[in-house]
Amino acid sequence: MSEANVNPTEEEFFYICYQCRLGFQTTWLSFISISSQKTEYTCVKCGTEFASGFKVQKLYFDYCYPHPCEFCEMRFRTSTQLLPHSYLHSGALPFKCPFCEKAFPIISLFNRHQVPKTVHCSKCYKSFIGKFCRARVFDEKDAFICVKCFILY
């Protein structure tokens, strides 16, 4: 008769601090509340040591977050989430504002950096909405060209 693994060893668990637990959106991942008198656990996500927090079985955690960062061991659901995080380690941020030179790891943050502003085309004098850097100060001498005139130009 084979024996079942009734009491898994501590090596089969990852430990998560309370703050990092709040960031997990997966509800089916079963977190088990743990506490001790001393600070003896280390959070797998942020690396802080804690006395009260949660543990989760490695098997389920690896299944839910299969993409680990090779530098800090943070884990992600998809490789698409891992890629912008890896830019933070390498410093090679792909989306750069041409005006203020500020760089961003993902396009949505770059788009949030830009603000829409209504300007007038210096060729056809029609107004259009352009996206500009928040740091840009506009002058009345600034000349803008709409897409239609740009193609014809």
Side-chain angles (χ1 to χ4, degrees), residues 43-90:
C43 180
V44 70
K45 191 164 182 194
C46 68
T48 60
E49 293 183 355
F50 61 92
S52 295
F54 301 91
K55 70 180 179 179
V56 64
Q57 282 190 318
K58 286 183 180 181
L59 175 69
Y60 299 128
F61 192 80
D62 287 343
Y63 177 75
C64 189
Y65 296 91
H67 301 278
C69 173
E70 60 186 43
F71 296 103
C72 68
E73 295 301 317
M74 278 185 72
R75 301 183 73 88
F76 298 89
R77 286 187 194 155
T78 65
S79 59
T80 309
Q81 292 173 332
L82 173 62
L83 184 63
H85 172 78
S86 67
Y87 293 144
L88 299 175
H89 293 295
S90 67

Side-chain angles (χ1 to χ4, degrees), residues 16-136:
I16 313 286
C17 70
Y18 181 76
Q19 281 300 116
C20 290
R21 168 62 180 98
L22 296 176
F24 286 97
Q25 298 169 351
T26 304
T27 55
W28 67 267
L29 199 59
S30 58
F31 289 93
I32 302 164
S33 181
I34 56 171
S35 65
S36 73
Q37 296 285 339
K38 301 180 232 172
T39 304
E40 59 182 89
Y41 305 110
T42 304
C43 180
V44 70
K45 191 164 182 194
C46 68
T48 60
E49 293 183 355
F50 61 92
S52 295
F54 301 91
K55 70 180 179 179
V56 64
Q57 282 190 318
K58 286 183 180 181
L59 175 69
Y60 299 128
F61 192 80
D62 287 343
Y63 177 75
C64 189
Y65 296 91
H67 301 278
C69 173
E70 60 186 43
F71 296 103
C72 68
E73 295 301 317
M74 278 185 72
R75 301 183 73 88
F76 298 89
R77 286 187 194 155
T78 65
S79 59
T80 309
Q81 292 173 332
L82 173 62
L83 184 63
H85 172 78
S86 67
Y87 293 144
L88 299 175
H89 293 295
S90 67
L93 302 173
F95 304 101
K96 194 171 188 179
C97 177
F99 184 77
C100 71
E101 306 266 326
K102 189 171 182 180
F104 302 91
I106 54 178
I107 189 97
S108 62
L109 293 175
F110 174 66
N111 288 337
R112 200 178 326 166
H113 169 74
Q114 296 179 320
V115 293
K117 181 165 176 61
T118 303
V119 293
H120 297 283
C121 178
S122 60
K123 299 282 184 192
C124 67
Y125 301 108
K126 288 186 180 179
S127 62
F128 66 96
I129 297 176
K131 290 188 126 192
F132 301 97
C133 176
R134 293 179 183 272
R136 183 172 182 171

